[in-house]
Amino acid sequence: MSEKVLDKESIRKYIKKNFPNFYDDNLKVQEIGDGNINYVFIVHNNKGESLVLKQADELLRSSGRPLDTHRIEIEKEYLLRSGKLSPKYVPEIYKFDLENSIIAMEDISEFKNLRKELERGFIPKDFYKWLIDFLVPILGDTSSIIENRHEKKENIKFFTNPEMCDISEDLVLTEPYEDYKNRNIIYPGEETFIKENIYEDEEFRLAVDILKEKFMNYNQCLIHGDLHSGSIFVNENGLKVIDSEFAFYGPGGYDIGNVLAHFIIAFITGLYDSNKLEFLDELENQVEKIFDEIFKELYRYLLPKLDINHYSKKFLEEFIKGIKSDTLGYTGTEIIRRVVGDTKTSEIESLEGEDRIHRDKRLLCIGKKLILERKSILKGYEIIDLMEENLELE
Ligand code: ADP
Ligand code: MG
C-alpha cells in the first residue's frame, strides 16, 4: 500500500482538519472494508454521529498491482448524479478529496447487504419498486433520448473507465468461456459439462461475443457497472446503492441483468433448502415484477421527454426492446461467470457435493437459455418458467 493510505491514527487527524464540527477526542474508528480493492472506515463521535471514509489507493488492496485512482472520482460522480435524480437511493456525499482519493459519505449501516439478506431468506416486498425508481431516471436521463449530444460526449470522456471495464471484460465476458488465464474455478465433477456446454458450444460462444462487444462499445447510458447484490443494501424501509467505481457509459441492460442474475442464483440455491419455500415464491414474484415493470416504467419516463422532431414513438419502442434483450443476455453472463469464473459468491459456495453439481448445471442451463433466447423472451413469467423447469442435466 502507498503512504497516503489512512490508518486509525491518521484518520483522527484527518477528521480534525476536515470535519472540525464532527471531531472530538474520543473518535471511534473502525475499518469495515470487506472488498479487495479499497479501504473503508466508519467513524463515530461521542455525539452519536457517524460518517464513512472510502479511500482508493493506486495499489490494489489484495494483490498490490497498480490501479488508476480515477475510479474514485468516477464513483463519486456517479453517486452525485444518481443522487440528484433519485436522492433516496445513494449515500449523501459530504466531501470529496481528490488529492488523497477519499470520499467522505453518509453512513448507511442501518441498511444490510442484500447478498446476506438473500442468503438468510429475506427480501423486502417493495424491492422491485425501489430498484425501478432508482434505475429508470439514471438510465433514462443519460441516454441520448434526453442527454444533450455535446454534454454526453463530455460525460462519456469523464466516465471512460478502462481499467475497471477491463476487469469486467475479462472476468465476466471472456475468462468463463475460454479460461485463457487459467483462473476459472470449476467444481470437481463439472469439468465435462462445462467443456461441452460452455467452452465448446460455438453458437452460444458467438452470442456471448456479441454481448461482450456491445459492453465494450455501446455508450448507451450511464451504468453502475457492478450492481451485484453486494453493492445493494436494504432494510424494511428502503434501498441504498454503493460502490459505483465500475461506472461508465455502457448498455443499460447490464445493470438490470446483474440484479436479476443474483435473484436467480438465490432462487436456484434456495431450492436445496426446504425452509425457504415462502421466500422462493417472493423471489419469483420480484423477478417477474422487475422484468415486467422496469421497461414499461422506462418507456413512460422517456415518452414525454422524447423530442418528436428527431425520434418517433416507434424508435422509443425499439430502444426499450434493445435494453430488454440486453438485460436477459447480461443476466445470463452474470450467472455463468459466478459458476465458472474465479469470483464466486458465498451463496455459490454454500452447497457441496451432488447438490452443488446439480445446482451449478441448472444455473448454467438457465444462463445459456437467457443468452440464446434473449430476443424472444418478452414476459417475466417466461423467466419464471425457465427457473422452474425440471432440466435433464446429463
Ligand atoms: P470496495 O470497493 O473495496 O469493494 P465497497 O464500497 O463495496 O468497497 O465497501 C466495502 C464495505 O464497506 C461494504 O460492503 C459495506 O459493508 C461497507 N460500506 C461501504 N460504504 C458504506 C457506507 N456509506 N455506509 C456504511 N457501510 C459502508
Ligand atoms: Mg468496489
Side-chain angles (χ1 to χ4, degrees):
M1 86 176 67
S2 69
E3 264 173 29
K4 72 174 190 189
V5 172
L6 294 171
D7 57 24
K8 288 186 178 179
E9 226 11 76
S10 54
I11 281 182
R12 292 193 172 88
K13 287 189 201 135
Y14 189 84
I15 298 279
K16 191 169 191 176
K17 182 167 164 222
N18 293 283
F19 298 93
N21 294 332
F22 180 91
Y23 181 81
D24 64 52
D25 287 336
N26 297 311
L27 290 183
K28 267 208 258 131
V29 182
Q30 209 186 336
E31 187 172 2
I32 52 168
D34 54 7
N36 53 14
I37 302 189
N38 304 293
Y39 298 85
V40 185
F41 298 90
I42 185 162
V43 188
H44 291 268
N45 67 13
N46 59 21
K47 282 184 271 178
E49 298 163 333
S50 58
L51 59 78
V52 165
L53 299 178
K54 177 167 179 175
Q55 185 174 37
D57 189 19
E58 58 252 25
L59 304 175
L60 196 67
R61 183 173 170 180
S62 53
S63 65
R65 84 167 166 89
L67 195 65
D68 189 347
T69 53
H70 180 50
R71 68 185 191 274
I72 193 93
E73 253 187 295
I74 286 183
E75 174 160 355
K76 178 256 314 180
E77 275 305 318
Y78 179 92
L79 291 176
L80 285 178
R81 181 111 200 231
S82 53
K84 244 184 234 149
L85 292 163
S86 330
K88 281 191 288 187
Y89 300 112
V90 287
E92 185 188 339
I93 296 205
Y94 299 143
K95 184 182 164 75
F96 179 63
D97 172 354
L98 178 61
E99 194 187 337
N100 295 298
S101 309
I102 294 172
I103 300 176
M105 63 183 136
E106 182 188 358
D107 171 18
I108 57 141
S109 302
E110 64 190 85
F111 296 81
K112 303 283 168 249
N113 185 316
L114 175 62
R115 173 163 307 138
K116 294 186 182 148
E117 294 301 270
L118 292 176
E119 278 181 88
R120 78 175 177 94
F122 172 74
I123 177 77
K125 284 250 173 301
D126 284 335
F127 179 88
Y128 73 98
K129 291 188 191 154
W130 302 329
L131 181 77
I132 292 170
D133 218 23
F134 169 69
L135 278 179
V136 163
I138 187 80
L139 299 180
D141 271 61
T142 58
S143 74
S144 297
I145 290 173
I146 299 184
E147 195 159 74
N148 170 283
R149 292 211 295 251
H150 219 89
E151 281 171 25
K152 179 154 177 171
K153 305 269 182 316
E154 290 300 326
N155 289 334
I156 290 172
K157 243 196 262 176
F158 176 86
F159 279 101
T160 295
N161 200 352
E163 293 196 359
M164 303 312 273
C165 284
D166 197 62
I167 293 176
S168 305
E169 287 156 17
D170 246 344
L171 289 181
V172 184
L173 297 161
T174 308
E175 290 180 38
Y177 305 94
E178 52 188 81
D179 202 20
Y180 79 113
K181 289 188 177 168
N182 260 319
R183 293 198 295 200
N184 285 349
I185 300 176
I186 294 174
Y187 193 76
E190 295 175 13
E191 298 86 349
T192 310
F193 188 87
I194 289 175
K195 182 167 172 283
E196 289 172 1
N197 291 282
I198 304 291
Y199 297 165
E200 291 179 355
D201 181 338
E202 282 179 26
E203 187 201 347
F204 167 62
R205 291 278 305 272
L206 171 65
V208 173
D209 283 345
I210 290 169
L211 288 163
K212 174 159 93 173
E213 200 269 345
K214 200 162 192 183
F215 179 88
M216 289 161 67
N217 298 300
Y218 185 32
N219 305 131
Q220 186 176 39
C221 48
L222 181 58
I223 65 173
H224 178 283
D226 197 26
L227 203 56
H228 58 78
S229 47
S231 301
I232 301 176
F233 284 65
V234 292
N235 64 22
E236 308 271 355
N237 307 314
L239 166 159
K240 297 274 180 194
V241 170
I242 61 164
D243 201 13
S244 46
E245 64 187 333
F246 281 80
F248 73 110
Y249 273 76
Y254 191 77
D255 277 352
I256 310 167
N258 221 323
V259 178
L260 291 178
H262 287 274
F263 276 37
I264 294 172
I265 291 171
F267 177 86
I268 302 294
T269 306
L271 290 174
Y272 297 82
D273 177 349
S274 56
N275 297 320
K276 280 195 170 161
L277 289 179
E278 234 174 87
F279 169 64
L280 296 185
D281 281 346
E282 185 50 30
L283 268 182
E284 284 189 321
N285 180 38
Q286 293 284 331
V287 168
E288 196 169 350
K289 288 265 177 44
I290 293 170
F291 194 75
D292 286 341
E293 298 299 326
I294 196 163
F295 307 106
K296 280 192 218 155
E297 237 359 274
L298 193 56
Y299 183 84
R300 273 188 226 123
Y301 186 84
L302 289 172
L303 186 62
K305 305 187 182 195
L306 190 70
D307 179 348
I308 50 166
N309 296 316
H310 297 297
Y311 291 116
S312 62
K313 266 192 186 184
K314 188 81 200 139
F315 168 77
L316 183 57
E317 282 162 25
E318 286 299 313
F319 176 83
I320 303 279
K321 224 162 92 184
I323 301 183
K324 200 169 187 173
S325 59
D326 290 347
T327 293
L328 293 164
Y330 295 121
T331 303
T333 56
E334 179 65 16
I335 293 173
I336 290 171
R337 75 107 158 194
R338 297 293 182 177
V339 177
V340 179
D342 82 330
T343 36
K344 307 278 189 236
T345 62
S346 44
E347 196 147 41
I348 289 286
E349 288 177 327
S350 66
L351 297 181
E352 293 289 348
E354 285 306 309
D355 280 357
R356 167 77 175 259
I357 295 173
H358 192 263
R359 190 274 322 259
D360 283 358
K361 287 181 179 177
R362 199 163 171 161
L363 283 174
L364 293 173
C365 289
I366 294 171
K368 260 184 99 164
K369 284 202 180 172
L370 290 171
I371 291 170
L372 288 168
E373 294 168 23
R374 67 193 184 283
K375 292 188 179 150
S376 57
I377 294 175
L378 299 175
K379 296 275 184 205
Y381 74 79
E382 295 170 79
I383 305 178
I384 306 304
D385 285 350
L386 273 185
M387 287 158 66
E388 289 187 349
E389 216 169 86
N390 230 337
L391 299 161
E392 267 310 318
L393 295 172
E394 295 318 315

Coordinates of all heavy atoms in Angstrom, one line a residue, residues 31-42 51-55 61 71-72 75 79 90-92 104-111 113 116 164 226 228 230-231 233 241-246, ligand 1:
E31 N -12.2 -0.2 10.8 CA -12.1 -0.5 9.3 C -13.2 -1.5 9.0 O -13.3 -2.5 9.6 CB -10.8 -1.1 9.0 CG -10.6 -1.2 7.5 CD -9.3 -1.6 6.9 OE1 -8.4 -1.8 7.7 OE2 -9.2 -1.6 5.7
I32 N -14.0 -1.2 8.0 CA -15.1 -2.1 7.6 C -15.1 -2.6 6.2 O -15.9 -3.3 5.8 CB -16.5 -1.4 7.8 CG1 -16.6 -0.1 7.1 CG2 -16.8 -1.2 9.3 CD1 -18.0 0.5 7.0
G33 N -14.0 -2.2 5.5 CA -13.9 -2.7 4.1 C -13.9 -4.2 4.0 O -13.1 -4.8 4.8
D34 N -14.7 -4.8 3.2 CA -14.6 -6.2 3.0 C -14.3 -6.6 1.6 O -14.2 -7.7 1.3 CB -16.0 -6.8 3.5 CG -17.2 -6.2 2.7 OD1 -16.9 -5.4 1.8 OD2 -18.3 -6.5 3.1
G35 N -14.1 -5.6 0.8 CA -13.7 -5.8 -0.6 C -12.2 -6.0 -0.7 O -11.5 -5.9 0.3
N36 N -11.8 -6.3 -1.9 CA -10.3 -6.5 -2.1 C -9.7 -5.3 -2.9 O -8.5 -5.4 -3.3 CB -10.0 -7.8 -2.7 CG -10.7 -8.0 -4.0 OD1 -11.3 -7.0 -4.6 ND2 -10.7 -9.2 -4.5
I37 N -10.4 -4.2 -3.0 CA -9.9 -3.1 -3.9 C -9.5 -1.9 -3.0 O -8.5 -1.4 -3.2 CB -11.0 -2.8 -4.9 CG1 -11.3 -4.0 -5.8 CG2 -10.4 -1.6 -5.8 CD1 -12.1 -3.7 -7.0
N38 N -10.5 -1.5 -2.1 CA -10.3 -0.2 -1.5 C -10.3 -0.3 0.0 O -10.4 -1.4 0.6 CB -11.4 0.8 -1.9 CG -11.5 0.9 -3.4 OD1 -10.6 1.5 -4.0 ND2 -12.5 0.3 -4.0
Y39 N -10.1 0.9 0.7 CA -10.1 0.9 2.2 C -11.4 1.7 2.6 O -11.6 2.8 2.1 CB -8.9 1.7 2.6 CG -7.6 0.9 2.2 CD1 -7.1 1.1 0.9 CD2 -7.0 0.0 3.1 CE1 -5.9 0.4 0.5 CE2 -5.9 -0.7 2.6 CZ -5.4 -0.5 1.4 OH -4.3 -1.2 1.0
V40 N -12.1 1.1 3.5 CA -13.4 1.8 4.0 C -13.3 1.8 5.5 O -13.1 0.8 6.2 CB -14.6 1.0 3.5 CG1 -15.9 1.8 3.9 CG2 -14.6 0.8 2.0
F41 N -13.6 3.0 6.1 CA -13.6 3.2 7.6 C -14.9 3.8 8.0 O -15.4 4.7 7.3 CB -12.4 4.1 8.0 CG -11.1 3.6 7.6 CD1 -10.5 3.9 6.4 CD2 -10.4 2.8 8.5 CE1 -9.2 3.4 6.1 CE2 -9.1 2.3 8.2 CZ -8.5 2.6 7.0
I42 N -15.3 3.5 9.2 CA -16.5 4.1 9.7 C -16.0 4.8 11.0 O -15.2 4.3 11.8 CB -17.7 3.1 10.0 CG1 -18.9 3.9 10.4 CG2 -17.3 2.1 10.9 CD1 -20.2 3.0 10.3
L51 N -19.7 8.9 10.2 CA -19.5 9.1 8.8 C -18.6 8.0 8.3 O -17.9 7.3 9.1 CB -19.0 10.5 8.5 CG -17.7 11.0 9.0 CD1 -16.5 10.4 8.3 CD2 -17.7 12.5 8.9
V52 N -18.6 7.8 7.0 CA -17.8 6.8 6.3 C -16.8 7.4 5.4 O -17.1 8.4 4.7 CB -18.7 5.8 5.6 CG1 -17.9 4.9 4.6 CG2 -19.5 4.9 6.5
L53 N -15.5 6.9 5.5 CA -14.5 7.4 4.6 C -14.1 6.2 3.7 O -13.8 5.1 4.2 CB -13.2 7.8 5.3 CG -13.4 9.0 6.3 CD1 -12.0 9.3 7.0 CD2 -13.8 10.3 5.6
K54 N -14.1 6.4 2.4 CA -13.7 5.4 1.5 C -12.5 5.9 0.7 O -12.5 7.0 0.1 CB -14.8 5.0 0.5 CG -14.3 3.9 -0.5 CD -15.5 3.3 -1.3 CE -14.9 2.3 -2.3 NZ -16.0 1.6 -3.0
Q55 N -11.4 5.2 0.7 CA -10.2 5.7 0.1 C -9.7 4.6 -1.0 O -9.7 3.4 -0.7 CB -9.0 5.8 1.1 CG -7.8 6.4 0.5 CD -6.7 6.7 1.5 OE1 -6.5 6.0 2.5 NE2 -6.0 7.8 1.3
R61 N -5.7 -3.3 -3.2 CA -5.6 -3.8 -1.8 C -5.1 -5.3 -1.7 O -4.3 -5.6 -0.9 CB -6.9 -3.6 -1.1 CG -6.9 -4.0 0.3 CD -8.2 -3.6 1.0 NE -8.2 -4.2 2.3 CZ -9.2 -4.0 3.2 NH1 -10.2 -3.3 2.9 NH2 -9.1 -4.6 4.3
R71 N -10.8 6.0 -10.6 CA -12.1 5.2 -10.3 C -12.8 5.9 -9.1 O -14.1 5.8 -9.1 CB -11.7 3.8 -10.0 CG -10.9 3.5 -8.7 CD -10.5 2.1 -8.6 NE -10.0 1.7 -7.3 CZ -8.8 1.9 -6.9 NH1 -7.9 2.3 -7.8 NH2 -8.4 1.5 -5.7
I72 N -12.1 6.5 -8.2 CA -12.8 7.1 -7.0 C -13.6 8.3 -7.4 O -14.7 8.6 -6.9 CB -11.9 7.3 -5.8 CG1 -12.7 7.5 -4.5 CG2 -10.9 8.4 -6.1 CD1 -13.0 6.3 -3.7
E75 N -16.6 7.0 -9.1 CA -17.5 6.5 -8.1 C -18.3 7.7 -7.5 O -19.5 7.7 -7.3 CB -16.8 5.8 -7.0 CG -17.6 5.4 -5.8 CD -17.0 4.3 -4.9 OE1 -16.0 3.7 -5.3 OE2 -17.6 4.0 -3.9
L79 N -22.4 8.7 -7.9 CA -23.2 8.9 -6.7 C -23.9 10.2 -6.7 O -25.1 10.4 -6.3 CB -22.4 8.7 -5.4 CG -21.9 7.3 -5.1 CD1 -21.0 7.2 -3.9 CD2 -23.0 6.3 -5.0
V90 N -29.0 6.6 -2.7 CA -27.5 6.5 -2.5 C -27.1 7.3 -1.3 O -27.8 8.2 -0.9 CB -26.8 7.1 -3.8 CG1 -26.9 6.2 -5.0 CG2 -27.3 8.5 -4.1
P91 N -25.9 7.0 -0.7 CA -25.5 7.8 0.4 C -25.1 9.2 0.0 O -24.6 9.4 -1.1 CB -24.2 7.0 0.9 CG -23.8 6.1 -0.2 CD -25.0 5.9 -1.1
E92 N -25.4 10.1 0.9 CA -25.0 11.5 0.6 C -23.5 11.7 0.7 O -22.9 11.0 1.6 CB -25.7 12.4 1.7 CG -25.5 13.9 1.4 CD -26.0 14.7 2.6 OE1 -26.8 14.2 3.4 OE2 -25.6 15.9 2.7
A104 N -15.9 11.1 1.6 CA -16.5 11.1 2.9 C -18.0 11.1 2.7 O -18.5 11.9 1.9 CB -16.1 12.3 3.7
M105 N -18.7 10.1 3.2 CA -20.1 10.0 2.9 C -20.9 9.5 4.1 O -20.4 9.1 5.1 CB -20.3 9.0 1.7 CG -19.9 7.6 2.0 SD -20.1 6.6 0.5 CE -18.5 5.7 0.5
E106 N -22.2 9.6 3.9 CA -23.2 9.2 4.9 C -23.0 7.7 5.2 O -22.7 6.8 4.4 CB -24.6 9.4 4.2 CG -25.7 9.0 5.1 CD -27.1 9.1 4.3 OE1 -27.1 9.4 3.1 OE2 -28.1 8.8 4.9
D107 N -23.1 7.4 6.5 CA -23.1 6.0 7.0 C -24.4 5.4 6.7 O -25.5 5.9 7.2 CB -22.8 6.1 8.5 CG -22.9 4.7 9.2 OD1 -22.9 3.7 8.4 OD2 -23.0 4.7 10.4
I108 N -24.5 4.3 6.0 CA -25.7 3.6 5.7 C -25.9 2.3 6.4 O -26.6 1.4 6.0 CB -25.9 3.4 4.1 CG1 -24.8 2.6 3.5 CG2 -26.1 4.8 3.4 CD1 -25.2 1.6 2.5
S109 N -25.2 2.2 7.6 CA -25.2 0.9 8.3 C -26.6 0.4 8.7 O -26.7 -0.8 9.0 CB -24.4 1.1 9.6 OG -23.1 1.5 9.3
E110 N -27.6 1.3 8.7 CA -28.9 0.7 9.1 C -29.5 -0.1 7.9 O -30.5 -0.8 8.1 CB -29.9 1.8 9.5 CG -30.2 2.8 8.4 CD -31.0 4.0 8.9 OE1 -30.3 5.0 9.3 OE2 -32.2 4.0 8.7
F111 N -28.8 -0.1 6.8 CA -29.3 -1.0 5.7 C -28.3 -2.2 5.6 O -27.1 -2.0 6.0 CB -29.2 -0.2 4.3 CG -30.2 0.9 4.3 CD1 -29.9 2.2 4.9 CD2 -31.4 0.8 3.7 CE1 -30.8 3.2 4.8 CE2 -32.3 1.8 3.7 CZ -32.0 3.0 4.2
N113 N -26.5 -5.6 3.7 CA -26.0 -6.1 2.4 C -27.1 -7.1 1.8 O -27.4 -8.1 2.5 CB -24.7 -6.9 2.8 CG -24.0 -7.4 1.6 OD1 -24.6 -8.0 0.7 ND2 -22.7 -7.2 1.5
K116 N -26.3 -10.9 1.8 CA -26.5 -11.6 3.1 C -28.0 -11.7 3.4 O -28.4 -12.8 3.9 CB -25.8 -10.9 4.2 CG -24.3 -10.9 4.0 CD -23.5 -10.3 5.1 CE -22.0 -10.4 4.8 NZ -21.2 -9.3 5.3
M164 N -11.3 -0.5 -15.0 CA -12.3 -1.2 -14.3 C -13.1 -2.0 -15.4 O -13.5 -3.2 -15.1 CB -13.3 -0.3 -13.5 CG -12.5 0.6 -12.5 SD -11.5 -0.4 -11.4 CE -12.6 -0.9 -10.1
D226 N -21.5 -2.6 -11.7 CA -21.2 -3.7 -10.8 C -22.3 -3.9 -9.8 O -22.1 -4.0 -8.6 CB -19.9 -3.3 -10.0 CG -19.2 -4.5 -9.4 OD1 -19.4 -5.7 -9.8 OD2 -18.5 -4.3 -8.4
H228 N -24.2 -6.0 -8.5 CA -24.5 -7.3 -7.9 C -25.1 -7.1 -6.5 O -25.1 -5.9 -6.0 CB -23.3 -8.2 -7.9 CG -22.1 -7.6 -7.1 ND1 -22.0 -7.7 -5.8 CD2 -21.0 -7.0 -7.6 CE1 -20.9 -7.1 -5.4 NE2 -20.3 -6.7 -6.4
G230 N -24.0 -7.4 -3.6 CA -23.1 -6.9 -2.6 C -23.0 -5.4 -2.7 O -22.4 -4.7 -1.8
S231 N -23.5 -4.8 -3.8 CA -23.4 -3.3 -4.0 C -24.8 -2.7 -3.6 O -25.0 -1.5 -3.7 CB -23.1 -2.9 -5.4 OG -21.9 -3.4 -5.8
F233 N -27.8 -2.4 -0.6 CA -28.1 -2.5 0.8 C -29.6 -2.3 1.0 O -30.2 -1.4 0.3 CB -27.3 -1.6 1.6 CG -25.8 -2.1 1.7 CD1 -25.0 -2.2 0.6 CD2 -25.4 -2.5 3.0 CE1 -23.7 -2.7 0.7 CE2 -24.1 -3.0 3.0 CZ -23.3 -3.1 1.9
V241 N -27.7 2.1 -2.8 CA -26.7 1.6 -3.7 C -25.4 2.2 -3.4 O -25.3 3.4 -3.3 CB -27.1 1.8 -5.2 CG1 -26.0 1.5 -6.2 CG2 -28.4 1.1 -5.6
I242 N -24.3 1.4 -3.4 CA -22.9 1.9 -3.1 C -22.0 1.4 -4.2 O -22.4 0.7 -5.1 CB -22.4 1.6 -1.7 CG1 -22.3 0.1 -1.5 CG2 -23.3 2.2 -0.6 CD1 -21.4 -0.3 -0.3
D243 N -20.7 1.7 -4.0 CA -19.6 1.1 -4.8 C -19.7 1.2 -6.3 O -19.7 0.2 -7.0 CB -19.5 -0.4 -4.3 CG -18.1 -0.9 -4.6 OD1 -17.2 -0.1 -4.9 OD2 -17.9 -2.1 -4.6
S244 N -19.8 2.5 -6.8 CA -20.0 2.7 -8.2 C -18.7 3.0 -9.0 O -18.7 3.7 -10.0 CB -21.0 3.9 -8.4 OG -20.6 4.9 -7.5
E245 N -17.6 2.4 -8.5 CA -16.3 2.6 -9.2 C -16.2 2.0 -10.5 O -15.2 2.3 -11.3 CB -15.2 2.2 -8.3 CG -15.1 0.7 -8.0 CD -14.1 0.3 -7.0 OE1 -13.1 1.0 -6.8 OE2 -14.3 -0.7 -6.3
F246 N -17.1 1.1 -10.9 CA -17.1 0.5 -12.2 C -18.0 1.2 -13.2 O -18.2 0.8 -14.4 CB -17.6 -1.0 -12.2 CG -16.6 -2.0 -11.7 CD1 -16.3 -2.1 -10.3 CD2 -15.8 -2.8 -12.5 CE1 -15.4 -3.0 -9.8 CE2 -14.9 -3.7 -12.1 CZ -14.7 -3.8 -10.7
Ligands
ADP1 P1 -14.8 -1.9 -2.3 O1 -14.9 -1.0 -3.5 O2 -13.5 -2.1 -1.8 O3 -15.5 -3.2 -2.6 P2 -17.3 -1.1 -1.0 O4 -17.7 0.3 -1.5 O5 -18.0 -2.2 -1.6 O6 -15.7 -1.2 -1.2 O7 -17.4 -1.1 0.6 C1 -16.9 -2.2 1.3 C2 -17.9 -2.4 2.5 O8 -17.9 -1.3 3.4 C3 -19.4 -2.6 2.1 O9 -19.7 -3.9 1.8 C4 -20.1 -2.1 3.3 O10 -20.2 -3.1 4.2 C5 -19.2 -1.0 3.8 N1 -19.6 0.3 3.4 C6 -19.2 1.0 2.3 N2 -19.8 2.2 2.2 C7 -20.5 2.3 3.3 C8 -21.4 3.4 3.8 N3 -21.6 4.5 3.1 N4 -22.0 3.2 4.9 C9 -21.9 2.0 5.6 N5 -21.1 1.0 5.2 C10 -20.4 1.1 4.0

